[in-house]
Amino acid sequence: MKRSELRNITIEQMFDLLQGREDQTREFMVLVDSPYRGVFVGRPFNAPGAIIMLCTHGSITVRVNLTEYKLTPGSVMLYGENSIIEYPEISQDARFCMVALTRQFIGSMMVDYMAVIPIFKYISENKEHQLTVNEQEITVLKKYFELLYEIVPTYNRAVMRDLFASFVRTLGDMYSRRLQEKISSRSRQDEYFERFILKLTENHQRERSVKFYADELHITPKYLSTVIKDVSGRSAASWINEFVINKAKMLLKFSGKSIQEITYELNFSTQSFFGKFFKRHTGISPSDYRKTE
């Protein structure tokens, strides 16, 4: 595949290509039982955000980062932002449900990280993005897609964030059940990862070093970094930073505390240091984030 063939598209452009609803925003899109109109067939593109797709009719052949999958009714696919996506073949009767979320919108969601661990583990252990769900699960997922689609024009952004977060937790539970079916006993790496997330949940307001969490688990920082990367596909440091940023966002939005007070609560030495940390990971200063929200 030549790099020049790749297209970089936005979620808004994906709306236009797939004839999405005009009243949706640039932060996310929702489609329900949409026919594939052939606009993407044989034309690779970079995913403009995280994408969750459910095939409901027909068949769709998709390549994700050059790995090919055959989607049939009940197939769920998760694509990460900037994944290289290509659809070599789509049947005439193909129908699908899809949501696409920008990184900024995902960052604003308050997701229970323990609920999404099974998704990372399933993709890592099975080396694939595809999950097959049963008829009951298809019904549940379609209800989420339909509800999201219907409330877009009438409900505010906060409601959409909460509903998307609930959708992700439900999906995580489905992945968890598949893991239990496939694996009778957890590996040591799985245990370390889950213990790391638990320790992170308890301590992220005051501890941000990989060494601290490695010491808590009685392993070396290097081994912890390797384990977290192998299991989740992300570094331990990125998990730590994300927990801290999400806590900072919640305090800025809901606590009424001054930025100086939040600085101390999150164990930053100075307000300037906290501001630089926040802006490096969000692209916006704490004060501007508070004004925006």
Side-chain angles (χ1 to χ4, degrees):
M1 178 184 299
K2 296 180 181 179
R3 186 170 181 80
S4 61
E5 295 175 344
L6 289 175
R7 291 181 298 161
N8 293 310
I9 63 174
T10 65
I11 285 181
E12 188 176 22
Q13 289 169 329
M14 187 177 281
F15 277 173
D16 295 336
L17 291 169
L18 297 176
Q19 297 185 18
R21 282 172 50 165
E22 294 180 356
D23 49 24
Q24 300 190 68
T25 77
R26 298 181 180 183
E27 292 188 305
F28 56 82
M29 66 173 288
V30 186
L31 297 172
V32 178
D33 274 338
S34 176
Y36 234 108
R37 306 180 189 280
V39 291
F40 289 133
V41 176
R43 303 178 65 190
F45 65 96
N46 283 317
I51 297 175
I52 303 171
M53 181 176 179
L54 169 67
C55 179
T56 56
H57 298 88
S59 64
I60 302 171
T61 302
V62 57
R63 292 194 190 107
V64 182
N65 297 328
L66 303 182
T67 299
E68 188 167 298
Y69 303 91
K70 183 79 167 183
L71 308 186
T72 54
S75 296
V76 175
M77 287 290 291
L78 271 66
Y79 315 141
E81 183 180 20
N82 292 323
S83 295
I84 299 175
I85 310 298
E86 184 178 5
Y87 296 96
E89 186 178 355
I90 300 170
S91 68
Q92 292 293 323
D93 61 340
R95 296 287 186 277
F96 66 97
C97 299
M98 176 189 286
V99 295
L101 313 170
T102 62
R103 179 186 300 179
Q104 291 75 17
F105 187 78
I106 293 172
S108 71
M109 292 164 52
M110 305 304 175
V111 177
D112 178 2
Y113 286 97
M114 293 303 292
V116 300
I117 285 175
I119 298 176
F120 287 101
K121 288 172 63 178
Y122 182 92
I123 292 174
S124 175
E125 292 172 8
N126 294 279
K127 307 301 180 186
E128 65 177 41
H129 296 254
Q130 183 176 0
L131 179 76
T132 301
V133 296
N134 58 38
E135 290 186 8
Q136 182 180 12
E137 291 167 331
I138 291 173
T139 300
V140 171
L141 292 178
K142 283 194 67 176
K143 286 180 178 178
Y144 269 108
F145 282 112
E146 290 166 355
L147 181 57
L148 287 164
Y149 185 83
E150 289 300 324
I151 70 172
V152 167
T154 56
Y155 280 72
N156 62 32
R157 189 169 182 264
V159 173
M160 295 301 296
R161 286 190 306 224
D162 290 344
L163 186 53
F164 272 118
S166 176
F167 183 22
V168 171
R169 286 193 293 270
T170 299
L171 196 59
D173 184 58
M174 293 179 184
Y175 276 84
S176 179
R177 289 198 292 271
R178 295 305 182 279
L179 286 171
Q180 293 171 6
E181 294 169 1
K182 288 177 174 286
I183 305 171
S184 58
S185 61
R186 295 180 301 171
S187 70
R188 177 58 63 92
Q189 284 195 334
D190 292 335
E191 293 178 6
Y192 277 136
F193 180 60
E194 292 186 10
R195 288 170 59 195
F196 167 71
I197 295 296
L198 287 171
K199 291 290 183 183
L200 186 53
T201 301
E202 296 168 357
N203 299 285
H204 65 276
Q205 287 186 233
R206 59 186 181 87
E207 297 290 346
R208 296 188 297 278
S209 73
V210 174
K211 184 179 184 304
F212 169 82
Y213 295 100
D215 290 345
E216 287 288 298
L217 299 179
H218 308 292
I219 57 178
T220 67
K222 183 177 180 180
Y223 183 63
L224 175 61
S225 297
T226 299
V227 167
I228 302 307
K229 182 69 172 180
D230 287 347
V231 173
S232 71
R234 297 171 55 186
S235 68
S238 74
W239 279 105
I240 295 169
N241 291 336
E242 185 164 335
F243 267 67
V244 175
I245 288 297
N246 280 342
K247 183 63 178 181
K249 286 179 176 179
M250 285 190 285
L251 290 171
L252 288 166
K253 286 178 62 176
F254 303 120
S255 71
K257 295 180 179 180
S258 69
I259 294 177
Q260 184 68 57
E261 290 173 317
I262 293 172
T263 295
Y264 290 140
E265 184 165 340
L266 294 179
N267 199 26
F268 285 88
S269 57
T270 67
Q271 184 172 326
S272 175
F273 182 32
F274 168 62
K276 290 177 181 177
F277 176 88
F278 190 89
K279 188 169 185 178
R280 184 168 68 250
H281 292 285
T282 66
I284 189 172
S285 69
S287 58
D288 286 343
Y289 177 82
R290 172 168 272 175
K291 292 175 184 176
T292 301
E293 291 295 318

